[in-house]
Amino acid sequence: MWALRFVLSRRNRREVLVQLFVTGIKSLGVLSVVAAFIGMILALQTGLELRRYGQEVNIGTAVTVVMVREMGPFMTGLVIAASVGAAIAAQMATMTVSEEIAALEVMSIDPVRFLVMPRLAAMLVMMPLLTVYTNVLGVLGGAVVGKTQLGVALPAYFDNAIQFVRNKDLYVGLFKAMVFGVIIVTVACQQGFQASEGAVGVGVATRRTVVISFLTILAVGYMITRLFYT
Amino acid sequence: MRRERIRETSMEVTVGAFLFMALLALGVFTIILSRQSLFRPTLYYDVTFRTVMGVREGENVYLRGVIVGKVDDIVAERGHVRLRLALNRPLELHENYKIEILASSLLGGRYLNIEEGDEDRPLLSPGTPLVGTTPKELLDEATRTVASVRQTLEGGVLDQIRSIVSNANSIVARVERGEGTLGRLTREDGLYADVSAAAASLRKVVDRIERGEGSLGRLLTDDGRVYRDIEATAANLRKASDDLAQGRGLLGKLISGEDAMMEDLRATVASVRAVAEGLRRGEGTLGRLLTETEVYEDLKQGLRELRATIDDFRETAPITTFSSIFLGAF
């Protein structure tokens, strides 16, 4: 309730909107390229192997299952960690080393509530939706490769695509993406708030944010998979 | 300030549009993956199986090869497993219906296949509990089949096959050595030439037949006249045969063994034989004529004298006639 009231308050709503725009819309370009090529690579690699057995028509299943379960949330997490997470860390670190955070505290403004919450709210909303976008583009990229490189008809590709995917796969993937979003914002803000030693500290915080986010996303991704599929 | 407001509005519109599109895509994905139609009511059927061999919720249900729904729920109960099927069309099952669990591929995955049964069988009454056929494990079936084949082979069939192969090798060796007709055919050109010549001759004969030459050719190419002649002949023969069989005519009566006729024939033959024997023994005039030369000579002499008498009478006949007429006047 507190979080909802926070988001809906007029001042914070504008900040959340800005963060939604930065996190979501500004990431679409790079995410589109990554998603499409991930789907195309998956389709090509899987299709070339399956073609040896005359089963290339099943690439729709392979691409969709892999994208929805793992690669969609994982690649979205990596891209957002590398772009948005790094930006958040750099911004927080700069504010820390220039003592803007301290100034906020002097003014009795909670920096977590003022700086972290809009980013966290935006990330919680945007990460699952960006993952849906990644999934769609990945599946479409696979379809293009299947049609042009492997001679798989589009109806056959899409029939196979939905053959073995369940709603559970989709929503577990979205849940992963949401958790990845929390990880990215938390790590970035924590590293930013702990920055020191001027510009060098900003660089260190940014680098460590990306590295820690990547490793945490991998580990947490495995744990969530194990939690839901074993 | 106004520019700031426009920028903010633009940002709101962009973010809103993206959220709307993404949520719409999520909704469509959800509906597609749930395999349920929004515009058609979902019908639920319970089917019990003794075992379901790892079927999971969400597996497809096929009716005559068309996906009609999915497995909605699986409940393990005492002695059986109950599957709830969510279908998008009603089932019309006949008494010999069949619901079975099949493997999608060797690598795994299963689906339910429904066969409605023969249309000439009565329909199941509403509320009849549906019972599924126990599924067959594809790999287990393959293993059992291989074991069965091996058992069959090891039970003597393999020895027979070896024997057949050995015999075939022997035959091939003989052919290679040029033994037998087949061997000579492969070795000797003369035999081949003979066969070729025979084939050529045969071809000529066939060509002549096809051209309608000769009796056989005419028989094959004729417009039916020969056939009709043969048919008429056959009909005549059949009629004659029928007459004989039914004892009509002399020959028929003889063949049919009619008693009176046979008795007459036997008596006639006996009489002829008796006459012949009498003649041979020289009995009677005719017998003596046959056996005694004097009788023949006397008869010959008598005939000569008779002829001379007739000649005399013929010569004196005008005088006698005239005398009779002249003397008759007085």
Side-chain angles (χ1 to χ4, degrees):
Chain A
M1 185 59 74
W2 175 83
L4 192 62
R5 199 163 57 237
F6 169 82
V7 171
L8 293 178
S9 70
R10 184 173 179 78
R11 189 170 59 89
N12 291 327
R13 194 170 63 201
R14 189 180 177 284
E15 185 58 28
V16 170
L17 176 67
V18 170
Q19 290 304 319
L20 284 172
F21 187 78
V22 170
T23 306
I25 308 303
K26 286 201 167 179
S27 304
L28 285 181
V30 65
L31 203 58
S32 301
V33 175
V34 170
F37 276 96
I38 286 291
M40 291 162 75
I41 291 166
L42 274 174
L44 194 58
Q45 287 284 12
T46 316
L48 289 176
E49 286 304 309
L50 289 175
R51 180 186 268 178
R52 294 166 62 186
Y53 308 101
Q55 294 294 318
E56 63 269 28
V57 73
N58 290 318
I59 58 167
T61 302
V63 171
T64 310
V65 167
V66 173
M67 284 302 297
V68 169
R69 282 188 178 182
E70 289 297 336
M71 295 306 284
F74 181 66
M75 293 311 297
T76 307
L78 293 191
V79 169
I80 296 299
S83 56
V84 179
I88 292 172
Q91 186 185 1
M92 295 297 131
T94 304
M95 289 176 76
T96 303
V97 297
S98 61
E99 297 187 343
E100 288 181 44
I101 303 293
L104 287 173
E105 286 173 343
V106 168
M107 289 187 287
S108 296
I109 296 173
D110 184 1
V112 172
R113 188 172 176 178
F114 183 70
L115 296 172
V116 179
M117 283 307 291
R119 287 163 178 77
L120 185 61
M123 197 67 87
L124 283 172
V125 172
M126 271 300 171
M127 274 299 285
L129 300 183
L130 287 174
T131 301
V132 172
Y133 179 76
T134 307
N135 290 341
V136 171
L137 276 190
V139 172
L140 290 178
V144 169
V145 168
K147 173 74 176 170
T148 56
Q149 305 287 311
L150 301 165
V152 178
L154 291 180
Y157 177 88
F158 287 114
D159 276 351
N160 277 284
I162 61 169
Q163 190 79 23
F164 291 101
V165 182
R166 305 280 177 262
N167 271 327
K168 176 188 171 184
D169 302 325
L170 178 64
Y171 283 98
V172 169
L174 300 187
F175 174 70
K176 271 185 192 176
M178 205 180 280
V179 174
F180 293 165
V182 173
I183 290 169
I184 291 165
V185 172
T186 308
V187 171
C189 291
Q190 187 265 337
Q191 290 297 318
F193 286 154
Q194 287 189 346
S196 59
E197 299 174 8
V200 175
V202 174
V204 170
T206 307
R207 184 178 60 80
R208 290 179 71 176
T209 296
V210 173
V211 171
I212 293 172
S213 296
F214 274 23
L215 296 178
T216 313
I217 284 172
L218 279 170
V220 172
Y222 167 76
M223 286 177 203
I224 293 175
T225 302
R226 182 167 177 184
L227 182 68
F228 284 97
Y229 289 103
T230 57
Chain B
M1 185 68 184
R2 190 166 179 274
R3 183 178 294 172
E4 183 71 19
R5 180 67 191 154
I6 292 172
R7 186 166 161 270
E8 191 175 325
T9 306
S10 167
M11 198 185 295
E12 281 180 353
V13 170
T14 310
V15 170
F18 175 74
L19 290 178
F20 176 74
M21 296 298 290
L23 287 171
L24 188 67
L26 182 61
V28 170
F29 256 7
T30 306
I31 292 169
I32 290 174
L33 295 182
S34 67
R35 295 173 180 78
Q36 287 186 349
S37 173
L38 289 178
F39 308 107
R40 212 183 286 176
T42 302
L43 302 165
Y44 293 94
Y45 292 88
D46 285 344
V47 185
T48 55
F49 288 85
R50 196 173 59 78
T51 172
V52 293
M53 302 290 281
V55 165
R56 297 183 306 168
E57 289 178 15
E59 303 281 19
N60 289 323
V61 179
Y62 286 79
L63 175 66
R64 295 195 298 269
V66 179
I67 296 178
V68 293
K70 64 170 187 171
V71 177
D72 188 58
D73 192 21
I74 302 173
V75 181
E77 296 175 340
R78 188 178 180 83
H80 63 268
V81 181
R82 183 167 52 82
L83 265 60
R84 168 157 286 198
L85 311 183
L87 308 183
N88 57 22
R89 68 176 65 178
L91 290 177
E92 287 189 351
L93 299 178
H94 298 261
E95 276 185 351
N96 59 341
Y97 74 93
K98 195 174 181 183
I99 302 175
E100 55 187 346
I101 297 170
L102 300 172
S104 300
S105 69
L106 280 174
L107 301 176
R110 297 186 185 282
Y111 67 92
L112 256 75
N113 187 53
I114 299 174
E115 291 177 17
E116 294 166 302
D118 298 331
E119 290 187 355
D120 54 347
R121 301 290 290 272
L123 279 169
L124 290 183
S125 55
T128 305
L130 302 179
V131 181
T133 309
T134 302
K136 290 178 180 175
E137 183 60 48
L138 210 58
L139 279 175
D140 287 351
E141 280 292 306
T143 307
R144 274 197 289 273
T145 305
V146 169
S148 170
V149 169
R150 177 183 290 175
Q151 193 175 3
T152 306
L153 287 175
E154 288 173 351
V157 175
L158 205 57
D159 292 338
Q160 290 179 9
I161 291 173
R162 283 199 191 100
S163 171
I164 291 167
V165 170
S166 172
N167 290 338
N169 284 336
S170 169
I171 291 168
V172 169
R174 288 190 61 196
V175 169
E176 284 179 347
R177 288 196 300 270
E179 296 176 7
T181 306
L182 201 56
R184 287 169 61 198
L185 197 61
T186 60
R187 289 279 179 124
E188 297 174 12
D189 292 341
L191 191 56
Y192 171 75
D194 291 346
V195 172
S196 295
S201 300
L202 190 61
R203 192 181 304 129
K204 282 180 187 171
V205 171
V206 171
D207 288 345
R208 288 192 62 199
I209 291 172
E210 284 180 347
R211 286 196 300 271
E213 296 176 9
S215 300
L216 195 55
R218 281 203 298 278
L219 196 61
L220 289 175
T221 59
D222 191 73
D223 57 356
R225 189 169 51 81
V226 176
Y227 173 76
R228 285 194 297 276
D229 290 348
I230 291 173
E231 194 177 40
T233 307
N236 291 337
L237 283 173
R238 190 183 307 121
K239 185 173 180 304
S241 167
D242 291 344
D243 289 346
L244 288 175
Q246 291 168 10
R248 285 199 291 264
L250 179 60
L251 198 55
K253 285 175 181 168
L254 286 174
I255 290 171
S256 64
E258 195 175 312
D259 292 344
M261 186 74 184
M262 286 300 290
E263 287 303 319
D264 289 349
L265 192 63
R266 276 200 196 97
T268 306
V269 169
S271 300
V272 169
R273 186 185 299 142
V275 170
E277 285 176 354
L279 287 173
R280 187 163 52 82
R281 286 195 300 270
E283 294 174 0
T285 307
L286 200 55
R288 289 172 62 195
L289 190 63
L290 287 173
T291 55
E292 295 177 15
T293 313
E294 295 83 11
V295 175
Y296 171 72
E297 290 298 333
D298 291 346
L299 189 61
K300 199 174 171 183
Q301 185 61 36
L303 285 173
R304 267 195 207 111
E305 287 175 357
L306 180 61
R307 187 182 296 157
T309 305
I310 290 169
D311 289 341
D312 292 342
F313 177 72
R314 195 179 293 146
E315 288 171 358
T316 57
I319 299 169
T320 308
T321 305
F322 179 76
S323 300
S324 298
I325 294 168
F326 184 74
L327 290 176
F330 297 101

